[in-house]
Amino acid sequence: QVQLVESGGDLVQPGGSLRLSCAASGSISSINTMGWYRQAPGKERELVATITSAGNTNYADSVKGRFTISRDHALMMLYLQMNSLKPEDTGVYYCNVRGTDYKRRNLPFDSWGQGTQVTVSS
């Protein structure tokens, strides 16, 4: 099994910054893609940013230039540095990891964390 634990969510004023972290653990034999998604109240979950094992990144247009995704492959950690936060960034942020599971003969997995709340408000 694969477990993901997010942390770092908080209440912050517009223009402020936060850094989210996601710790992956379990029977991971390889990681293909790691990413952050968010869900605002009454809206569907949406992609924020992803990063591949090769380090290629992809961002939603709404966060380009403000958010930076990074990872520590050896420690199986994922980060999201969020700057110049706006009220519309408010939501529950979820960590997602896709890879292979050595306890399931290296079959692929697609796991989600429990989410961390980010609220941007004055």
Side-chain angles (χ1 to χ4, degrees):
Q1 280 191 335
V2 176
Q3 297 82 38
L4 303 177
V5 178
E6 301 102 331
S7 61
D10 205 346
L11 169 64
V12 63
Q13 292 188 343
S17 297
L18 280 177
R19 188 191 195 211
L20 305 184
S21 299
C22 172
S25 62
S27 51
I28 299 173
S29 52
S30 68
I31 293 177
N32 298 324
T33 304
M34 306 178 83
W36 290 98
Y37 294 74
R38 68 186 180 190
Q39 187 166 19
K43 295 188 177 181
E44 293 186 354
R45 191 175 299 187
E46 63 177 0
L47 179 146
V48 175
T50 60
I51 184 167
T52 69
S53 58
N56 298 314
T57 58
N58 179 51
Y59 294 92
D61 288 343
S62 59
V63 306
K64 282 181 181 176
R66 299 188 298 121
F67 291 11
T68 302
I69 189 171
S70 62
R71 89 265 190 257
D72 185 318
H73 202 72
L75 297 178
M76 295 194 294
M77 292 290 298
L78 179 68
Y79 305 101
L80 185 68
Q81 179 65 43
M82 305 187 294
N83 298 328
S84 302
L85 283 161
K86 303 176 182 180
E88 50 264 44
D89 295 318
T90 294
V92 178
Y93 283 68
Y94 296 91
C95 173
N96 171 256
V97 176
R98 300 172 185 175
T100 55
D101 184 341
Y102 64 78
K103 284 193 174 180
R104 297 174 61 239
R105 292 185 288 182
N106 290 330
L107 289 175
F109 70 85
D110 184 349
S111 291
W112 294 85
Q114 82 289 348
T116 185
Q117 177 70 46
V118 172
T119 303
V120 184
S121 175
S122 54

